[in-house]
């Protein structure tokens, strides 16, 4: 038998919303308690690409600029040391699908209760609702810390 011990992986979805920042802070605290690592996953998707019509948006996205913005936001939330301890992923695709794939083999998947596009009065956003129903690991849904 090998003496290798698996390090728990904590996956957190971040999208720039206050509830995703709360989820990020929760994930970091939990990972510290269980001796785990944190993978922060941000997903970008161009609206209109999966429907029957052609895209009505500019197809150009500057991925390097998006990565820089993600690094700045993570640093604003966690400080330079905290943000530097994360593994980050910026992925193109459907947010639910990307988060479910990222969470395979994870100790826990952490998401905010509502993302940037949610209705203000909704209790759960569509992504948090779908991942809670389909993830292969436990899911923690963190409410927004602000109003």
């Amino acid at each position: 038998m090998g003496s290798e011990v698996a390090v728990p992986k904590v996956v957190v979805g971040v999208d720039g919303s206050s509830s995703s920042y709360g989820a990020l802070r929760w994930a970091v605290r939990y990972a510290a308690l269980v001796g785990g690592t944190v993978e922060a996953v941000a997903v970008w998707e161009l609206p209109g690409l999966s429907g029957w019509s052609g895209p009505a948006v500019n197809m150009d996205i500057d991925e390097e600029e998006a990565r820089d913005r993600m690094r700045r936001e993570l640093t604003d939330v966690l400080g330079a040391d905290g943000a530097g301890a994360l593994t980050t992923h910026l992925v193109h695709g459907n947010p639910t699908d990307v988060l479910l794939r990222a969470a395979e083999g994870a100790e826990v998947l952490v998401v905010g209760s509502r993302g940037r596009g949610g209705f203000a009065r909704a209790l759960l956003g569509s992504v948090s609702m779908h991942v809670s129903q389909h993830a292969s690991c436990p899911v923690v849904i963190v409410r927004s810390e602000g109003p």
Side-chain angles (χ1 to χ4, degrees):
M1 286 205 281
S3 61
E4 296 176 22
V5 177
V7 176
K9 176 174 80 166
V10 177
V11 176
V12 58
V14 292
D15 66 0
S17 67
S18 62
S19 65
S20 80
Y21 293 158
L24 178 62
R25 285 187 281 273
W26 192 97
V28 168
R29 287 190 305 266
Y30 180 79
L33 290 173
V34 299
T37 60
V38 177
E39 294 187 13
V41 180
V43 184
W44 63 275
E45 178 180 46
L46 296 174
L49 290 183
S50 59
W52 56 268
S53 66
V57 296
N58 183 350
M59 295 290 290
D60 295 328
I61 181 168
D62 186 339
E63 285 191 55
E64 191 56 38
E65 181 182 321
R67 287 183 204 292
D68 288 343
R69 187 172 61 244
M70 181 180 180
R71 276 188 225 105
R72 283 191 308 271
E73 288 181 4
L74 294 176
T75 300
D76 288 347
V77 174
L78 299 174
D81 290 340
L86 302 176
T87 301
T88 60
H89 304 282
L90 177 64
V91 182
H92 173 260
N94 174 280
T96 301
D97 294 340
V98 170
L99 289 172
L100 289 174
R101 277 194 309 274
E104 291 175 3
E107 171 91 3
V108 65
L109 170 61
V110 187
V111 294
S113 59
R114 286 180 304 164
R116 298 175 77 148
F119 294 100
R121 296 177 58 143
L123 293 176
L124 285 179
S126 60
V127 173
S128 58
M129 183 175 65
H130 283 95
V131 299
S132 71
Q133 295 172 347
H134 300 288
S136 60
C137 65
V139 176
V140 172
I141 300 172
V142 178
R143 290 183 50 146
S144 174
E145 295 174 349

